[in-house]
Amino acid sequence: MSFDARLLTGVGVMAAVDEAGNFAKAAEILGLTPSGVSRAVARLEARVGVRLFDRSPRSVSLTEEGRRFHAQVLPLLAGLEEAASEAVGAAATVSGRLRVNVDPWFARMILAPRIPQFLDAHPKVTLELTVSNHREEMMTGVDVAVRFGPADGASLIVRKLFETRVLTCAAPAYLERRGMPQTPHDLVHHEGVLFRDPQTGRPFAWEFHRQQEVMEIGIGGRMVLDDPSTAVAACVAGQGLFQSLEIGLRPWLDDGSLVQILPDWAEERFPLYAYHPSRHLPPAKVRAFLDFVQQITVE
């Protein structure tokens, strides 16, 4: 028997009529007219092929077939009510398993050191963290995904978390060998540590922004990577220049392992977005995580 949405409505009306004892009181409980209740019961009887109620001018009562049918569907109604209650609780209570797919650089440099802070604040949450910079199937089996780059995902809810600058840097040892670039055009004589765009498979183009001016420079390099931590390590070792997100880069700049070059051309900004399945009200655990991420990026 194929599913008919009116069957579920009819079962609910039947339960209300049995509890109220007549159509008029059931109609008042359900916010319907007595004739609407009568029609719903008639449709249900036609659907199941048996008479469910014995009717009299003052009351109605379940037939023998009606009592058997009612006994069979009552646990199902209770299960629906329980599921609805759990859904309400999930929307209001920060608890349960939270599955997150996060960009590698953000996961290692920003999120991982703060995870204890999030879990301490929400002791009923269990966090499952997947690290990837690919967007294909990034939502498979997860509640929320976090990615750098332009927003993508027409069927998803997208929330912008913050923006960070793109900095160009190098190790002091490299600059001693090759000299300090003075303009973006000088980079054609330098070697870069190139980073592969996970969406195109090709190295990211190097752009330099200053006020309204944007300059794209073609820089060569013998190393192409898809992991930003490895790229930074290669840059620190003196392999070449590297363009990195400013967020998370501060430890190397502060201890002198890396030096920013062309600071006057560092106005390009790269966004971080969160994605979660389309729904009017995401679970409280998702909202809490997104609020936490937004908080730690501005501290």
Side-chain angles (χ1 to χ4, degrees), residues 199-274:
Q199 292 183 269
T200 67
R202 299 187 297 273
F204 277 104
W206 285 38
E207 291 186 1
F208 294 87
H209 295 224
R210 185 174 65 180
Q211 297 178 1
Q212 303 301 315
E213 188 175 2
V214 177
M215 190 180 300
E216 183 173 320
I217 299 296
I219 182 171
R222 292 174 293 162
M223 178 177 284
V224 181
L225 301 167
D226 65 358
D227 176 67
S229 299
T230 304
V232 168
C235 184
V236 170
Q239 177 60 36
L241 309 176
F242 182 57
Q243 280 200 329
S244 174
L245 303 177
E246 181 177 21
I247 190 167
L249 198 63
R250 185 52 52 189
W252 290 279
L253 295 174
D254 287 346
D255 69 12
S257 299
L258 292 176
V259 177
Q260 182 184 358
I261 67 170
L262 303 174
D264 293 339
W265 288 89
E267 296 181 8
E268 180 185 3
R269 294 187 172 274
F270 216 55
L272 182 73
Y273 285 95

Side-chain angles (χ1 to χ4, degrees), residues 174-195:
Y174 174 88
L175 296 176
E176 287 180 10
R177 295 197 317 269
R178 304 291 296 269
M180 175 70 78
Q182 301 301 314
T183 72
H185 293 293
D186 293 341
L187 299 192
V188 297
H189 305 297
H190 284 263
E191 180 163 345
V193 176
L194 307 180
F195 191 76

Side-chain angles (χ1 to χ4, degrees), residues 143-164:
D143 301 297
V144 60
V146 178
R147 289 291 186 275
F148 282 107
D152 184 28
S155 63
L156 302 171
I157 298 297
V158 182
R159 174 174 169 179
K160 187 176 183 178
L161 299 174
F162 78 105
E163 288 184 339
T164 184

Side-chain angles (χ1 to χ4, degrees), residues 48-69:
V48 300
V50 297
R51 186 164 54 89
L52 299 173
F53 287 99
D54 285 324
R55 298 161 174 83
S56 71
R58 292 189 176 182
S59 66
V60 295
S61 60
L62 287 168
T63 63
E64 184 64 29
E65 293 85 356
R67 282 193 294 271
R68 285 198 298 267
F69 183 68

Side-chain angles (χ1 to χ4, degrees), residues 113-124:
R114 303 292 188 90
I115 285 178
Q117 181 181 339
F118 176 75
L119 294 179
D120 286 346
H122 306 292
K124 294 184 179 180

Side-chain angles (χ1 to χ4, degrees), residues 16-27 37 58-60:
V17 171
D18 177 61
E19 182 178 348
N22 60 59
F23 287 175
K25 289 182 180 178
V37 169
R58 292 189 176 182
S59 66
V60 295

